[in-house]
């Protein structure tokens, strides 16, 4: 059953049928889907992210802890914008036990260095699970927009950072807007640097 689901997703991926992949998000697929992706976005979620990237005149997004990169591939297909993926544990991702990968994975030094975090890209953390590493990435990032995707309060799931109570390690960031991922009680929160010189409206 789970293998059938994976084969279906891979076939659609090979044929670049991203809309059909989005539509696979049905209750009966939930367990198999979670193996590939913690958050299965809707088109309006992707639209909100694309609009935000464009609103701030950015070139794309860098996803930290992108996993197999399916969310990132969907965002790339929807928006036409480049999405760069970062992961840890290259050995595991190269092994036969790992999920197939939907975008190229990059494996930055840990702790990361500033040159990998291109300021003209937004940062994306989807169901990230390491608050200390989050703050290390943030302290290297000179850009203005950070997406945090994770469970809302009371959803019974945990991420670090949480979308509505992230610890950035400074007061430089404010919540700009947020959107629920369909009706899952997962949210996409958009944070911006408190003092942005040029916001393009
Ligand atoms: C819960 S998974 C979420 C994966 C994917 N974003 C999703 O939503 O399905 C968290 C991911 O963060 C990665 N990760 C943990 N620490 C990291 C770090 N310091 N840099 C990059 N990735 C990291 C893990 O390897 C794991 O794949």
């Amino acid at each position: 059953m789970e293998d059938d689901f994976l084969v279906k997703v891979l076939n659609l991926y090979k044929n670049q049928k991203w809309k059909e992949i989005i539509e696979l998000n049905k209750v009966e697929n939930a367990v198999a889907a979670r193996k590939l992706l913690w958050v299965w976005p809707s088109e309006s979620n992707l639209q909100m992210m694309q609009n935000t990237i464009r609103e701030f005149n950015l070139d794309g997004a860098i996803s930290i802890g992108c996993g197999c990169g399916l969310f990132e591939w969907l965002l790339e297909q929807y928006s036409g914008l480049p999405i760069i993926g970062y992961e840890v544990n290259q050995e595991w991702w190269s092994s036969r036990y790992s999920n197939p990968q939907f975008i190229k994975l990059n494996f930055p030094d840990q702790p990361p260095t500033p040159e990998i975090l291109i300021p003209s890209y937004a940062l994306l953390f989807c169901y990230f699970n390491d608050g200390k590493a989050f703050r290390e990435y943030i302290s290297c990032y000179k850009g203005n927009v950070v997406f945090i995707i994770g469970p809302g309060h009371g959803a019974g799931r945990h991420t670090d950072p949480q979308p509505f109570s992230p610890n950035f390690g400074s007061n430089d960031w404010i919540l700009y807007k947020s959107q629920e991922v369909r009706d899952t009680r997962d949210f996409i929160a958009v944070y911006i640097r408190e003092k942005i010189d040029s916001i393009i409206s």
Side-chain angles (χ1 to χ4, degrees):
M1 169 69 186
E2 284 174 17
D3 284 351
D4 290 350
F5 183 79
L6 180 58
V7 168
K8 196 188 277 186
V9 172
L10 283 171
N11 278 331
L12 292 170
Y13 168 74
K14 273 188 210 131
N15 293 301
Q16 304 210 320
K17 298 210 180 275
W18 60 271
K19 277 192 190 202
E20 282 88 335
I21 294 185
I22 285 180
E23 284 158 17
L24 289 178
N25 181 26
K26 306 272 165 17
V27 174
E28 64 268 24
N29 291 330
V31 173
R34 180 61 60 95
K35 294 223 157 157
L36 281 178
L37 204 56
W38 280 79
V39 170
W40 208 275
S42 67
E43 276 194 56
S44 74
N45 296 142
L46 299 176
Q47 183 179 39
M48 186 278 267
M49 294 180 75
Q50 172 189 259
N51 289 349
T52 305
I53 291 168
R54 293 201 187 284
E55 183 183 349
F56 287 89
N57 235 358
L58 299 176
D59 296 330
I62 298 172
S63 177
I64 314 286
C66 61
C68 66
L70 181 54
F71 186 105
E72 291 70 13
W73 182 77
L74 291 169
L75 179 57
E76 203 166 56
Q77 292 294 306
Y78 177 88
S79 67
L81 294 165
I83 313 295
I84 299 170
Y86 285 148
E87 257 299 334
V88 287
N89 203 346
Q90 183 161 17
E91 202 178 320
W92 187 81
W93 283 104
S94 313
S95 78
R96 63 197 170 97
Y97 305 107
S98 88
N99 269 336
Q101 288 131 47
F102 296 87
I103 61 169
K104 174 179 179 284
L105 302 188
N106 298 282
F107 298 92
D109 290 342
Q110 299 294 330
T113 50
E115 56 278 8
I116 63 162
L117 300 173
I118 309 163
S120 63
Y121 280 55
L123 289 195
L124 163 60
F125 296 86
C126 181
Y127 262 77
F128 198 63
N129 52 10
D130 184 339
K132 179 170 172 283
F134 168 70
R135 286 181 287 285
E136 285 169 355
Y137 281 105
I138 292 295
S139 73
C140 289
Y141 176 58
K142 303 295 173 230
N144 293 326
V145 177
V146 176
F147 294 102
I148 298 177
I149 306 179
H153 294 304
R157 296 180 290 277
H158 180 75
T159 59
D160 192 353
Q162 297 266 58
F164 297 117
S165 48
N167 176 358
F168 278 92
S170 75
N171 295 324
D172 293 351
W173 297 89
I174 51 171
L175 181 62
Y176 179 61
K177 63 180 164 185
S178 65
Q179 186 188 60
E180 189 168 11
V181 179
R182 295 169 294 100
D183 57 353
T184 58
R185 298 171 80 187
D186 282 324
F187 288 83
I188 303 173
V190 181
Y191 285 83
I192 61 169
R193 214 177 268 285
E194 196 163 28
K195 292 185 187 121
I196 298 184
D197 294 335
S198 56
I199 294 182
I200 312 299
S201 56

